[in-house]
């Protein structure tokens, strides 16, 4: 199914797809059944928007720990949807913008989407759009209220819209009334031991006989993003001198001692 | 009585009725006695405003869980009232508007209503007009105070006004003094098992012999809005591959396995 | 005494008296001794301001539950005072006005009053002037401070001023220092069973033999405002079909079943 | 000593003394020893500023319950001081003024005082200058900081300044650091039974044989301001019909029944 | 050592020294060993800045109860330092100034200091610069942040700077991170019994045989500032009639009865 | 390794390196193994950014007590990196700047970095950039949100960026979500007894036979910054008269009695 997901990817039109592509630079690997089921359910939602005459709008929240792969999943769905209008909305381009400015930008994206018969909007890292911080807590209620309205407002007759939001703060979102406003809320899991092993074996990071020892050093639940970072550190930096020519070649196997030394540097 | 309610619907004049019609796209189905009594009481209030010389103004709050059908009921009452002035006030058209702007818009609607001998205003989702969020909590006190005044201010001599508000936050509204400001407060119930069954059977979603099994998968109390969404998912999307041609035909029966798979995807 | 109070009413000059008249559209009925004593005390304060050379200013707060008749009482006193300057100050005309604007409007009313040898100002629903809400709580401290000063500031030599304020939040007003700033604070009681009966019998709402049964359905303590509303509902709307021609004639007796059905609709 | 205090009063120059005179319209009566000692201590402070070469500035806070006579005392001191510059600063003339405006007005008064060799400033009801309210609590920190600085800043060489502040919130002032900023803090007592009796007998409000009965109806501790108000009510208004010609003549004795009826009206 | 400190005082240049002189109008008296050690340590810091090539900047906080003599000590150090640039920064000249204005004024003082090879800045009563009040608490975070930066920023190469701050709120300053930002924090003690006696005897306030009785009336810990004020009151004002000619001559002895009466007036 | 670190330092280009040099005026001394390991890990991160094709961006937080040497370490890494773009961002140049101004300045630094193939940004004392104070707590959420975005935003294709942040508030940073946003978080330790001794012996501050006695007076955990300050005080100021010529010569040994006297002055 994962293969199929990737095979299906047929960019609708340029710029937007590029932005989504940048969200999944490591490609997409299947870490196991839980992840496959999640992908499957998501694709079914895309399908429902495409075909159901009674579903002018569907809103889905992807929640999961930092680095669990939410953005990569949303991007994969956007690319795979082949909808004529797809849009990534993130705070990246809004540093220091005013609350009102953000609201207008959000409203503009939805208005643009209403012009296409079939649209998909990704609201990535909604806590950043909301300028949320746990101390206080503080956040932009102006932006929150705009989202609460936009997520409930029906598109004009004959138009269809799928909204995918991502967050690592599901409990906060419940208190904000955001979770209840999304039609569906789905959980992005971390990698357990078995799943971590499957990922490491697929990318061939270690010699097969060292794989189990390497996996044993991981936390019980690891974000896939952190796993990729640790591999790069072990390959090029920490845990063994850091000199230029001592590097494990890119794509080559990582010696177990290096992996051990690297893990110690960071956690010890 | 439900039939009668629908039969009575005779739009007063164009645009406004269209907006109300969009709030009840699924038609109106009777889920049982509790709902019928609620409809009956509401229609009696409309009647009182129409005929009582000593009731220049009446204000009624519809409160109930998200998706319980508050907006659809208010819209049905507005359409059925045949009042010369009916108006839907919601935050949909106010994204990112200032507090003062909202107040002026609200005051304007009431001023407009005062010009008609018989008027009905629906204040839909009042928590959104108030920009309410439970964290803090925060809300626009400026808009709240405007509402508290407008809901108590008598229309000019000889004019009559019915205001119907909706909310899913009855306890918050009590703390705000809003509930006490409305003359009447009525509760919109969720669907219990029997009521869910009655709805499913009326729309013929399942083969009669599978109906009980289908109902058994529902929560004990289901919002009618969520029930309609689940049916669409089972029909077109989740729980069975999501391919185009495998869809249950629109209006056709939903196979029980599909229903089961769909429920699992979302709650499992 | 009540009769006398009404008989005394001799409007000073047009507009202002009209506004006060609109506050007591149902006429004034005596529900019993407690209310008569309250009226009596209030009229004595009016008298004191008129005659005492050592009382240039007197301020009196009427506090009581919502709908207990505070505004109607204040209006009756204003009309009965026959003072050359009487003024009703309420938030009705201040929707969405700024705090500063409200302060200036308040100060203006007092300045105007200082020009008349004998003046009476009604500050109705002071909590609305203050934009008070219990959540927080929040209110306009700017307006509160203006009131605290205006209520203590002596009128110019030779001028006399009576200020009557109304509120349903006596405890909040104590915390705000408002209660202590008023010279006198008087309580507006709700209707107990005997008092409710006396009102119902005076207006002849029920057949005498059904009166006790009708009273028995009331809460132990009822606001007079709510009682009038319930009577209108039973007469014209709820509790029996709501059809046009089935209405109890205006002024006619209300059938007991209709009263029962109406009470059930709202509380059941 | 009280007599002497009054005899001493020789207004420095017009306007300012008039304002102080208005603060003690009822004249000054001696309610007993505690009050005399307080007056004596205050006059000693005035004296110290006048003669001590090492006391360029002295600041004294008069604190006591509402209506205990603080403002009247401060005014009496100002008039009796015969200082070339005396000034009453109160919020009366600052309704709705901005925080900054208040600061500038305060600074201006001090600058003016610095120009006179001997000055006395009364800061009356400082909590009103601070826009203080117990809910929150809220107050203008801008004005507070200005006061904290002005109360500690030395006048220019050769100039002398006495500042007398009044407040009924001594505990709040301690938390604000205001009490510690004043050099001296003195307490204005309420009237106990004996003191109330002495006041009533001096003004001859009752027939001598009814005096004890009249005093017995007072609270254990009464503000002198309230006592004067109650006397006026009993004389002209409450407790006996309120008709015009039934009034106790001004200056005449108050019949005991009227006193009793009046007390009942207000507290009963 | 104290004598030496005073003898050393050689004003650098006019205006600034005058301001410092006004902070110690009573001269400087040695109340005992604790105070001498404090003075000694402070002078050592001045010395370190003058001579150490590795100490471009030193910051020292003087903390102690109100009136303990912090400002007088700081002024004495500034005068005694003979640094070419000395500056007293206090809120006295900033009444009602904006937060930004204060920041700019502070930054300006530091920039000015950077131009002199050897500079000393006294930040007097830092809580007032911060507009601190314990209720809330509230303070200007803008000014605080400016101070936190300025106190840590190194002067330009070759320039040297000593900053002396004073406060009576050491615990608040710890919570604000200010104490940790100063290199050194020193405590200004109050006067215990022995120290009070030494001061009184040095200035010859009482007849020797009455000295012990006079000291016995003091609190266990007295601020030196308050002691001087009490002496002035006993000499010229409170505790004995306040008449003009009865004053204890300036510089003459205070009769014990007057001291006793004065203490009673204020604390009794 | 420490030697190597210093030897490696080859300034990239003028101004920026100068600023970094000023952060480590005392040179860099190795206090022991813990510090060496920390330096090693940091240099490995620099190496990873230089060589890994899959690491376009790496963010590292250095946290440790005040004065533990964080800024000196970050500066050493920046100088040693030899990256074409290195930049020190601190609040020093932002006194009294607005929140928005700070955001723009931050965004500008990142945009500048994106233009260089290999960049290193030091965000020094991030709590000051955030205007953080523990009372409240208060901080600029606008600046925080900008940082949270900038620290997660990928540089453009082909560009590489290392960000090193410093803070002494690791727990606050966790609550703010900052710690989780950095890829790596490393701890800067204080000096224990052994480490203090090693530093004192390397710089030859005491006669060898007095070294242990000198070390014994230190706290169990000392910030290296404080250690250098204490040495300067003992050498030039506190603990022995402070006269000019009595100073221990710069670079000469510190007599033990002086060290003892100095420690007593400050802590006693
Ligand atoms: N299934 C997958 N196969 C391969 N790589 C993946 C997969 N899922 C995520 N990644 C990679 O992991 C990295 C981080 O994932 P991503 O940014 O989507 O996580 P996230 O949950 O959005 O993180 P954050 O909470 O920080 O926003 C990306 O480089 C992405 O390509
Ligand atoms: N009695 C009914 N018969 C048929 N459909 C109904 C009925 N009541 C509600 N619906 C349908 O359910 C859907 C949602 O109902 P509605 O929006 O009125 O709920 P709500 O309580 O206002 O929800 P929310 O709390 O989200 O505002 C609408 O599509 C509406 O047409
Ligand atoms: N004594 C009375 N006799 C007859 N009608 C009365 C009497 N008192 C009040 N009413 C009527 O009751 C209604 C409501 O009373 P009113 O508005 O004065 O109450 P209120 O206490 O001011 O209410 P609220 O708290 O809502 O401001 C009015 O229509 C008024 O005419
Ligand atoms: N000793 C006195 N003899 C006669 N009348 C007095 C005396 N003290 C006060 N009064 C009168 O009592 C009245 C109120 O006193 P005053 O306003 O000074 O009290 P206050 O403590 O300032 O009150 P508030 O707390 O309301 O400001 C004034 O009319 C004043 O003339
Ligand atoms: N050692 C001393 N010898 C003589 N007079 C002193 C001495 N110390 C302080 N004083 C005098 O005491 C008075 C108050 O001291 P100062 O203002 O320095 O105290 P402070 O601690 O700054 O007070 P505050 O907390 O109010 O700012 C001044 O008049 C000063 O001259
Ligand atoms: N390893 C070292 N060898 C020699 N000197 C050092 C070393 N580390 C730090 N220092 C010196 O200690 C002083 C303070 O260190 P630095 O300012 O880096 O500490 P910090 O942790 O950033 O302090 P703060 O928390 O106040 O910002 C500097 O003068 C620096 O040169
Ligand atoms: Mg993401
Ligand atoms: Mg709704
Ligand atoms: Mg009212
Ligand atoms: Mg007063
Ligand atoms: Mg001081
Ligand atoms: Mg640092």
């Amino acid at each position: 199914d994962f293969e199929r997901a990737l095979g299906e990817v047929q960019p609708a039109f340029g710029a937007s797809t590029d932005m989504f592509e940048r969200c999944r630079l490591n490609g997409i690997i299947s870490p196991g059944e839980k992840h496959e089921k999640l992908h499957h359910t998501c694709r079914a939602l895309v399908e429902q928007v495409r075909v159901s005459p009674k579903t002018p709008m569907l809103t889905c929240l992807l929640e999961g720990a930092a680095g669990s792969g939410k953005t990569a999943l949303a991007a994969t769905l956007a690319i795979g949807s082949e909808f004529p209008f797809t849009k990534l909305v993130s705070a990246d381009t809004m540093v220091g913008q005013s609350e009102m400015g953000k609201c207008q930008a959000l409203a503009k994206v939805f208005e643009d989407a209403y012009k296409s018969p079939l649209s998909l909007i990704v609201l990535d890292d909604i806590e950043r759009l909301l300028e949320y911080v746990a101390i206080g807590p503080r956040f932009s209620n102006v932006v929150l209220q705009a989202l609460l309205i936009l997520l409930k407002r029906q598109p004009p007759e004959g138009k269809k819209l799928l909204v995918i939001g991502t967050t690592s703060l599901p409990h906060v979102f419940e208190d904000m009334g955001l979770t209840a406003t999304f039609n569906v809320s789905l959980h992005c899991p971390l990698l357990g031991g078995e799943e971590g092993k499957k990922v490491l074996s697929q990318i061939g990071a270690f010699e097969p006989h060292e794989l189990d020892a390497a996996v044993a050093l991981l936390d019980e639940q690891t974000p896939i993003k952190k796993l990729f970072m640790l591999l790069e550190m072990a390959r090029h930096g920490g845990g063994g001198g850091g000199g230029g020519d001592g590097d494990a070649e890119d794509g080559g196997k990582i010696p177990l001692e290096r992996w051990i030394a690297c893990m110690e540097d960071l956690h010890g």
Side-chain angles (χ1 to χ4, degrees), chain A:
Chain A
D1 243 349
F2 259 71
E3 275 64 4
R4 209 164 63 95
L6 288 176
E8 264 176 29
V9 173
Q10 307 289 351
F13 58 84
S16 184
T17 303
D18 280 7
M19 284 190 62
F20 285 122
E21 282 298 351
R22 294 211 67 202
C23 298
R24 19 168 260 175
L25 288 179
N26 293 319
I28 293 292
I29 289 164
S30 168
E33 224 177 297
K34 263 197 279 184
H35 288 80
E36 299 217 358
K37 191 182 155 211
L38 171 64
H39 278 241
H40 171 83
T41 303
C42 287
R43 282 197 311 270
L45 295 176
V46 175
E47 197 50 31
Q48 179 182 351
V49 171
R50 191 197 314 279
V51 302
S52 162
K54 287 201 176 157
T55 307
M57 183 174 190
L58 206 54
T59 55
C60 170
L61 181 65
L62 297 178
E63 51 84 0
S68 56
K70 302 174 297 292
T71 303
L73 171 53
T76 303
L77 292 169
I79 296 170
S81 75
E82 302 187 323
F83 282 9
F85 181 92
T86 59
K87 180 81 186 179
L88 175 67
V89 177
S90 92
D92 270 31
T93 54
M94 302 189 183
V95 173
Q97 205 171 326
S98 75
E99 292 183 299
M100 275 301 165
K102 283 179 190 171
C103 280
Q104 281 160 7
L106 281 168
K108 176 74 167 53
V109 169
F110 277 77
E111 295 295 340
D112 287 353
Y114 294 160
K115 291 176 193 149
S116 159
L118 220 46
S119 304
L120 188 156
I121 295 172
V122 174
L123 302 173
D124 194 33
D125 239 347
I126 297 180
E127 49 268 46
R128 275 299 75 67
L129 293 172
L130 295 177
E131 301 177 24
Y132 177 83
V133 57
I135 301 178
R138 305 191 208 165
F139 56 91
S140 165
N141 192 28
V142 172
V143 176
L144 173 60
Q145 297 296 329
L147 281 180
L148 288 172
I149 293 172
L150 294 171
L151 285 169
K152 227 177 137 179
R153 189 164 75 177
Q154 298 293 321
E157 188 124 29
K159 310 300 183 183
K160 288 164 149 212
L161 174 59
L162 175 60
V163 180
I164 299 175
T166 77
T167 183
S168 52
L169 299 170
H171 298 301
V172 175
F173 275 39
E174 257 167 55
D175 293 345
M176 285 178 172
L178 265 170
T179 310
T181 297
F182 279 95
N183 295 126
V184 181
S185 174
L186 300 170
H187 178 66
C188 265
L190 294 172
L191 303 180
E194 268 314 296
E195 293 156 327
K197 185 171 171 183
K198 203 162 156 204
V199 168
L200 290 182
S201 108
Q202 276 184 65
I203 59 174
F206 296 94
E207 295 291 345
H209 68 276
E210 294 185 338
L211 186 57
D212 281 322
V215 168
L217 291 175
L218 290 174
D219 293 340
E220 250 173 76
Q221 294 285 321
T222 310
I224 192 164
K225 190 175 184 173
K226 190 177 173 194
L227 182 59
F228 281 105
M229 187 198 69
L230 290 173
L231 293 174
E232 280 309 292
M233 285 193 181
R235 223 186 276 276
H236 299 287
D245 43 29
D247 278 19
E249 293 155 67
D250 198 32
K253 301 297 179 205
I254 298 167
L256 190 58
E257 324 83 82
R258 239 172 144 176
W259 182 242
I260 292 169
C262 169
M263 296 305 254
E264 247 171 31
D265 270 12
L266 296 182
H267 302 285

